[in-house]
């Protein structure tokens, strides 16, 4: 487990960027982002995307559940899911319906579908401590992400 603190939007993006760099060569990694509205999940994802090598602008998938991005060299894929709108639907959520290959799979609001989440994942808990102060707790569950969490 690792705890990092951020005091600005840029700092949050930078922590995401560092984690993205550390994980970019993993063929498949699921990253769960847990935190309240405005905690910084999407900001963190922007950093992850840059670390992976995505140059396109990453925005919240508001009208779709999932947005897919390719790196400019086309080797890597980012799947960005926001499950906020699935609240209370009791959906039979199937992650694999959204994922058509290997890559980094980032999920905002993962606990909307708690029963349908994969067993191996890297969990990032984001706590809002103040207007611009955030605490990030990173935990590796199952995946070969232990080293990344140690190094970040
Ligand atoms: N240290 C910080 N890290 C990240 N965002 C910050 C920070 N301080 C202030 N902010 C502000 O908090 C907001 C974070 O928005 P962001 O969309 O990343 O949150 P989110 O967790 O994805 O929210 P949502 O649940 O609505 O998807 C932005 O408006 C940003 O400017
Ligand atoms: Mg968001």
């Amino acid at each position: 487990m690792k705890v990092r603190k951020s005091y600005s939007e840029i700092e949050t993006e930078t922590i995401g960027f560092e984690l993205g760099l550390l994980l970019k060569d993993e063929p498949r990694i699921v990253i769960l982002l847990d935190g309240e509205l405005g905690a910084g999940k999407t900001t963190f994802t922007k950093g992850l995307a840059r670390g992976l090598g995505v140059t396109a602008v990453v925005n919240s998938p508001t009208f779709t559940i999932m947005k897919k991005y390719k790196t400019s060299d086309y080797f890597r894929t980012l799947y960005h899911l926001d499950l906020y709108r699935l609240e209370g639907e009791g959906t039979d959520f199937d992650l694999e319906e959204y994922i058509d290959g290997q890559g980094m799979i980032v999920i905002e609001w993962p606990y909307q579908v708690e029963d349908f989440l994969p067993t191996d994942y890297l969990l990032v808990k984001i706590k809002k401590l103040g207007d611009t102060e955030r605490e990030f707790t990173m935990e590796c569950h199952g995946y070969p992400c232990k080293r990344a969490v140690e190094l970040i």
Side-chain angles (χ1 to χ4, degrees):
M1 190 187 87
K2 183 62 70 72
V3 179
R4 290 276 303 263
K5 269 196 162 186
S6 157
Y7 298 90
S8 70
E9 196 172 343
I10 290 289
E11 235 181 300
T12 292
E13 207 181 314
T14 303
I15 299 169
F17 174 70
E18 289 172 22
L19 189 63
L21 276 181
L22 287 164
L23 295 169
K24 69 180 165 54
D25 293 325
E26 289 300 330
R28 182 185 160 108
I29 178 95
V30 176
I31 302 174
L32 307 183
L33 300 182
D34 182 30
E36 61 183 288
L37 277 170
K41 300 180 291 298
T42 300
T43 307
F44 191 80
T45 306
K46 288 175 195 278
L48 283 170
R50 266 205 304 127
L52 191 68
V54 171
T55 47
V57 177
V58 171
N59 285 315
S60 210
T62 315
F63 300 108
T64 53
I65 298 291
M66 194 274 290
K67 271 194 187 173
K68 180 178 168 183
Y69 304 86
K70 281 290 199 185
T71 54
S72 44
D73 63 11
Y74 228 70
F75 284 138
R76 299 187 181 94
T77 310
L78 169 72
Y79 298 89
H80 182 199
L81 288 86
D82 188 331
L83 305 185
Y84 187 71
R85 287 185 303 115
L86 294 186
E87 187 181 11
E89 283 186 23
T91 345
D92 269 349
F93 178 78
D94 181 4
L95 182 61
E96 301 315 316
E97 273 177 23
Y98 296 91
I99 309 303
D100 57 8
Q102 298 279 67
M104 181 181 284
I105 301 154
V106 179
I107 308 181
E108 295 189 36
W109 297 101
Y111 297 121
Q112 307 284 43
V113 297
E114 193 156 13
D115 295 344
F116 306 100
L117 292 173
T119 48
D120 291 356
Y121 54 85
L122 194 162
L123 173 63
V124 181
K125 286 189 247 177
I126 312 175
K127 226 196 279 177
K128 219 168 154 177
L129 299 179
D131 244 13
T132 61
E133 192 178 349
R134 306 285 189 271
E135 186 183 77
F136 293 81
T137 306
M138 293 170 252
E139 300 170 3
C140 181
H141 291 264
Y143 266 115
C145 47
K146 259 183 99 173
R147 189 161 163 73
V149 171
E150 268 164 29
L151 288 173
I152 187 113

